[in-house]
Amino acid sequence: MQQPSYIYFDISRLIARAGHFVPTGIDRVEFEYADYLLRHAAQRLAFVAITPLGTIVTLPFAEAERFIRQMEKVWQGDHSLCRDVRWAARRMVHKAMLARQATPDAARMYRKSVYLLMSHHHLTRPGSIRRFMSRHGAEFVVMVHDLIPIEYPEYARPREPARHEARMNTVLELARGVIVPSQAVADSLLRYAASRRPDLPVRVVLHGVVKATPASEAFGVPDHPYFVCLGTIEPRKNHLLLLNLWRDMVEKAGTGVVPHLVLVGRRGWENENVLDMVERCPALQGTVRECNSLSDPEVMALLRGSRGLLFPSFTEGYGLPLAEALKFDVACVCSDIPVFHEVAGDAATFVDPLDGVGWRRAIEALMEGDVASHRPGARVASAALFTWSAQVAEGLAFLEEL
């Protein structure tokens, strides 16, 4: 039997996000891999991170483990730990900077070492990655979440397309293999790599779905019928479509019932039009609610009590909210784009992200009858829904195949 690899697992993304109440999709991926490795492969694991000086260093193991568990508690709703988590991250990195950086003794017992990076965090610094690989004799395996800034620069900050090209060039130059969350991303990456690295090993490993944990008794879902839109408020998420639909529904409702819309997610960039409507449009006051500090259990409770998830993005690398909603048998209306078909199978309602009339019809249809009559039910079996443990194990198996 082939000996497994020693793994240097990078948690720079989690450190940069220390103390944030709500994880992004990429935060979730990095955490789930760290959690799995701690539970199943701690004897062949070192945590690493990049420092402000640009050096990738090995972190004190016990402190890194404690930091990861504290982050988990914050996401579960213990916001009192936020300040402690931020300080713990700083102390841990500072201590690592002062320590002698040698290859761990345990790593010398393994034939092969892998430096595993599950975010795009410092792919713009190939020199740092190259030096770490050379110092520890490690292969480099990375997850590419999407190529959206390159393919759709209009949805990114002005400097982001060039930065993302630099990241992907680092991948093409240094990566022994690449994990991607969907076939859609694999196709994009292979097109980008075709002229420079046509033989780049790429493995599709779909994301897993978190287990539901109960929200606190103090958290109550709205009594009024409502829909949820879950994701960072940024242009490609297409929040404006929903807000304009809601304004029109309110203005034409008369005495009829208009469902509420709950926007769950942090504020991103280039979102002034969305925020202006949420904060200043009279028709939306009391009908559209913005939530950006809910814990994981609260988000799940909100989803399960809703009439459905609305996900009108123009483009995505995966779409974790769609998978999570379907896992809890919640009705979903999402954009008619390839990656959502890949995730949802025939368990969701697909509407073109520019088809306002189609979205309104789908929303009105979900308002008829009771909630149970619209649940996906048996159709969920067609969706790509897996546990995180199974998916992380598949990703780690790819390392050994390489």
Side-chain angles (χ1 to χ4, degrees):
M1 184 176 178
Q2 181 175 312
Q3 186 186 38
S5 305
Y6 190 83
I7 297 174
Y8 296 96
F9 187 73
D10 197 302
I11 58 170
S12 298
R13 169 84 181 196
L14 290 178
I15 289 171
R17 297 275 298 161
H20 285 253
F21 295 164
V22 182
T24 66
I26 298 177
D27 299 342
R28 172 67 62 193
V29 173
E30 189 164 292
F31 167 80
E32 293 294 345
Y33 272 76
D35 175 64
Y36 183 94
L37 287 166
L38 280 168
R39 288 186 290 110
H40 297 281
Q43 75 282 359
R44 58 184 180 100
L45 172 66
F47 290 112
V48 304
I50 195 165
T51 71
L53 299 178
T55 304
I56 298 173
V57 295
T58 305
L59 302 170
F61 190 89
E63 291 186 35
E65 180 178 12
R66 186 162 55 250
F67 163 75
I68 290 165
R69 294 307 174 204
Q70 285 181 320
M71 283 284 285
E72 182 180 21
K73 290 178 181 178
V74 169
W75 293 350
Q76 291 293 327
D78 190 351
H79 297 168
S80 66
L81 288 173
C82 285
R83 184 177 179 183
D84 292 342
V85 168
R86 282 193 288 267
W87 278 108
R90 292 173 187 170
R91 284 196 303 269
M92 179 171 60
V93 173
H94 182 68
K95 183 181 291 187
M97 291 172 66
L98 297 177
R100 175 175 171 267
Q101 289 292 314
T103 298
D105 290 339
R108 303 180 192 279
M109 301 169 59
Y110 291 83
R111 182 180 58 84
K112 184 174 69 172
S113 294
V114 176
Y115 169 47
L116 185 58
L117 177 65
M118 304 308 294
S119 74
H120 301 163
H121 186 271
H122 44 270
L123 286 174
T124 54
R125 309 187 78 162
S128 298
I129 296 172
R130 191 182 296 108
R131 286 190 293 273
F132 183 86
M133 293 168 61
S134 175
R135 183 185 309 121
H136 297 287
E139 304 263 20
F140 179 43
V141 178
V142 62
M143 175 173 279
V144 170
H145 292 267
D146 60 64
L147 279 79
I148 290 171
I150 297 172
E151 297 181 315
Y152 300 92
E154 65 273 24
Y155 298 137
R157 294 184 178 97
R159 297 175 56 192
E160 192 62 12
R163 287 172 56 83
H164 209 60
E165 284 195 19
R167 296 183 188 108
M168 295 305 102
N169 291 340
T170 298
V171 171
L172 299 190
E173 178 188 355
L174 299 178
R176 177 68 180 84
V178 182
I179 301 171
V180 294
S182 65
Q183 188 59 49
V185 176
D187 293 343
S188 294
L189 180 59
L190 291 172
R191 281 195 300 270
Y192 187 84
S195 62
R196 292 178 49 194
R197 186 93 184 269
D199 59 345
L200 178 67
V202 176
R203 173 65 57 85
V204 176
V205 181
L206 302 177
H207 291 332
V209 180
V210 297
K211 294 180 180 179
T213 53
S216 68
E217 294 182 3
F219 180 78
V221 301
D223 295 328
H224 197 83
Y226 67 94
F227 290 87
V228 173
C229 179
L230 177 56
T232 303
I233 299 176
E234 57 179 281
R236 70 181 173 89
K237 301 290 188 178
N238 202 16
H239 289 82
L240 273 178
L241 171 84
L242 298 180
L243 295 179
N244 281 305
L245 282 176
W246 245 261
R247 178 172 60 186
D248 189 60
M249 284 193 291
V250 170
E251 291 174 347
K252 294 179 179 177
T255 58
V257 175
V258 177
H260 290 183
L261 175 63
V262 183
L263 306 179
V264 180
R266 65 187 179 90
R267 295 183 175 188
W269 51 89
E270 302 287 344
N271 56 22
E272 290 82 1
N273 290 344
V274 171
L275 300 183
D276 284 346
M277 284 197 70
V278 170
E279 295 173 354
R280 295 165 49 194
C281 178
L284 301 183
Q285 304 310 302
T287 304
V288 174
R289 171 186 170 194
E290 183 186 4
C291 298
N292 51 26
S293 61
L294 297 182
S295 66
D296 280 353
E298 290 168 346
V299 171
M300 297 308 162
L302 198 63
L303 271 176
R304 296 173 95 165
S306 72
R307 282 275 169 172
L309 173 77
L310 306 179
F311 205 174
S313 295
F314 289 112
T315 181
E316 292 283 348
Y318 188 74
L320 267 175
L322 179 58
E324 290 170 348
L326 291 174
K327 178 70 174 179
F328 302 127
D329 203 23
V330 174
C332 297
V333 184
C334 60
S335 293
D336 191 2
I337 56 178
V339 70
F340 285 171
H341 285 275
E342 192 176 339
V343 173
D346 62 5
T349 299
F350 299 94
V351 186
D352 189 286
L354 295 175
D355 183 5
V357 174
W359 277 88
R360 179 157 185 167
R361 288 173 181 159
I363 291 165
E364 290 173 345
L366 290 179
M367 283 295 291
E368 296 176 0
D370 60 12
V371 174
S373 65
H374 297 290
R375 296 195 181 280
R379 290 181 294 136
V380 168
S382 69
L385 306 180
F386 307 97
T387 65
W388 268 112
S389 291
Q391 298 314 96
V392 175
E394 185 176 338
L396 296 179
F398 176 57
L399 308 187
E400 308 314 327
E401 291 175 22
L402 289 172

